[in-house]
Amino acid sequence: MSRKRYNFSAGPSVLPLEVKRWATDELTTHGTDGFSVMEISHRSARFHHILNSTKESLKRLLNIPDNYRILFMQGGASLQFSMIPYNFLDSSTVADYIITGYWSEKAATEAKRSGDVRLVFDGAADGFRRIPRNEEIKRSENASYLHFCSNETIHGVEFNYVPESRVPIICDASSNILSKKIDIAEYSLIYAGAQKNVGPSGVTLVIIEEALLERVKENLFSALDYRLFAANNSLLNTPNTWGIFVTGLVCRWLEEIGGLNVIEKENSEKSAMLYEVIDEDDDFYIGHANRDSRSRMNITFHLRNEDLLGRFLGEAEEHGLFGLSGHRSVGGVRASVYNAFPVDGVELLSDFMRTFRRENS
Ligand SMILES: Cc1ncc(COP(=O)(O)O)c(C=O)c1O
């Protein structure tokens, strides 16, 4: 019998088995009218229903207030890096960026092409191992907005609070949205590439406060204008219909298992299991992130003896544990354990890590 295989990929990543079954059913039974969702018009009543019920489901899960709009866009989180300053960075002022890792640094680099950007915290010198304390963030008096990334997928550091701000807060939540309860009212715009916790790649979820929509600059390119996207209920052009459909299935799965309280508890337990192994003996595994900044989604660590890394990754694969190689900019190991990642896979990795340490110490 072949061994079960676990996918620790940072994204696109594992989808719930139920979601894959429901999606397969949709394709093979051809929906309700003889055609699958991939084959129907985005202007059809059937697709409108799919779009709106996916929004309703997200609204229930995240408790999104009525004064927020939910958009399904394309171009990934990377396009948001450009659209945010393009829509909101006022030429008479600056945009504040908190830099805690690779992705927030990239977002700031893009914004600099549009206007003045201030790095109000920069963790680069420390190797991006920590999240700043609220009082360490040196905010500008009159910024257009404050941008941060709630979970740095590559470095494995995660905010456990929302920075205080007098200006609109914009957050890249690509790798931890839907992993825990959040208070949407604390943000003016929150965005996420879908391919970790939300659905398949090719959909970008944007939740935006109506008051921020009012501040969109005039005369922008249509396909890059949040206000037009919102006015057209994400149907300004042909959206990723299949991706939105599968996003709806992921939301259904989350609601069926009990919502964000349930998944939040499970996520904390899964990550705690792995950090416990790392902390048992810091002569062997070394966590990348400082303890108070650790991500629950992406567990990053090194082997003290770097020469053992190849053997670790090779033997992990023999045990059915795939996708554990750290990002090239950090090295070491990264275990991404998003919502759909099963607990038994985390247990298997914990056992493997302990055995590997015993055999190689
Ligand atoms: C936190 C974060 N932001 C942005 C991105 C870029 O996303 P995309 O590839 O959807 O543009 C990623 C991709 O992994 C990410 O993890």
Side-chain angles (χ1 to χ4, degrees), residues 205-239:
L205 173 64
V206 175
I207 302 166
I208 183 167
E209 192 181 9
E210 284 169 356
L212 187 65
L213 280 176
E214 299 295 314
R215 295 169 67 156
V216 169
K217 292 191 260 179
E218 294 301 325
N219 223 7
L220 302 183
F221 290 119
S222 306
L224 300 177
D225 183 327
Y226 287 112
R227 200 161 34 196
L228 272 182
F229 248 84
N232 286 278
N233 193 20
S234 300
L235 298 172
L236 183 70
N237 67 330
T238 317

Side-chain angles (χ1 to χ4, degrees), residues 81-285:
F81 294 168
S82 318
M83 275 185 72
I84 288 160
Y86 180 64
N87 278 254
F88 304 117
L89 178 47
D90 182 337
S91 58
S92 66
T93 180
V94 298
D96 283 353
Y97 278 73
I98 301 174
I99 311 299
T100 47
Y102 181 93
W103 291 111
S104 48
E105 194 170 52
K106 242 186 152 181
T109 303
E110 285 304 306
K112 283 177 193 164
R113 300 180 204 274
S114 277
D116 283 343
V117 165
R118 266 198 74 208
L119 309 187
V120 291
F121 171 83
D122 189 354
D126 289 342
F128 295 129
R129 289 168 201 281
R130 73 183 186 94
I131 296 296
R133 280 171 285 111
N134 192 41
E135 57 279 11
E136 280 180 90
I137 303 165
K138 307 281 177 249
R139 297 154 181 84
S140 308
E141 272 304 296
N142 194 22
S144 294
Y145 58 84
L146 171 67
H147 180 282
F148 78 108
C149 175
S150 52
N151 182 68
E152 289 281 358
T153 321
I154 288 175
H155 292 90
V157 295
E158 182 174 14
F159 276 83
N160 60 17
Y161 72 98
V162 179
E164 273 166 29
S165 176
R166 283 187 306 190
V167 301
I169 295 235
I170 297 188
C171 174
D172 174 2
S174 293
S175 49
N176 70 350
I177 194 150
L178 292 174
S179 71
K180 60 178 178 184
K181 283 190 113 168
I182 53 173
D183 181 3
I184 295 286
E186 291 187 273
Y187 308 81
S188 291
L189 190 162
I190 184 161
Y191 65 96
Q195 62 271 19
K196 293 123 178 19
N197 273 339
V198 181
S201 59
V203 178
T204 314
L205 173 64
V206 175
I207 302 166
I208 183 167
E209 192 181 9
E210 284 169 356
L212 187 65
L213 280 176
E214 299 295 314
R215 295 169 67 156
V216 169
K217 292 191 260 179
E218 294 301 325
N219 223 7
L220 302 183
F221 290 119
S222 306
L224 300 177
D225 183 327
Y226 287 112
R227 200 161 34 196
L228 272 182
F229 248 84
N232 286 278
N233 193 20
S234 300
L235 298 172
L236 183 70
N237 67 330
T238 317
N240 178 349
T241 50
W242 175 250
I244 294 169
F245 172 74
V246 179
T247 296
L249 298 183
V250 171
C251 292
R252 174 176 152 196
W253 171 77
L254 269 174
E255 292 201 278
E256 285 188 9
I257 64 165
L260 298 194
N261 281 334
V262 170
I263 207 75
E264 178 169 1
K265 183 165 175 287
E266 210 176 271
N267 285 332
S268 298
E269 287 167 1
K270 286 190 300 191
S271 52
M273 256 189 252
L274 296 175
Y275 286 125
E276 190 184 318
V277 183
I278 294 169
D279 292 343
E280 278 163 2
D281 179 354
D282 59 11
D283 267 348
F284 198 82
Y285 299 117

Side-chain angles (χ1 to χ4, degrees), residues 5-22:
R5 293 157 68 93
Y6 293 94
N7 175 12
F8 288 90
S9 165
S13 45
V14 59
L15 280 165
L17 190 58
E18 291 87 335
V19 168
K20 289 189 276 190
R21 287 203 181 112
W22 296 330

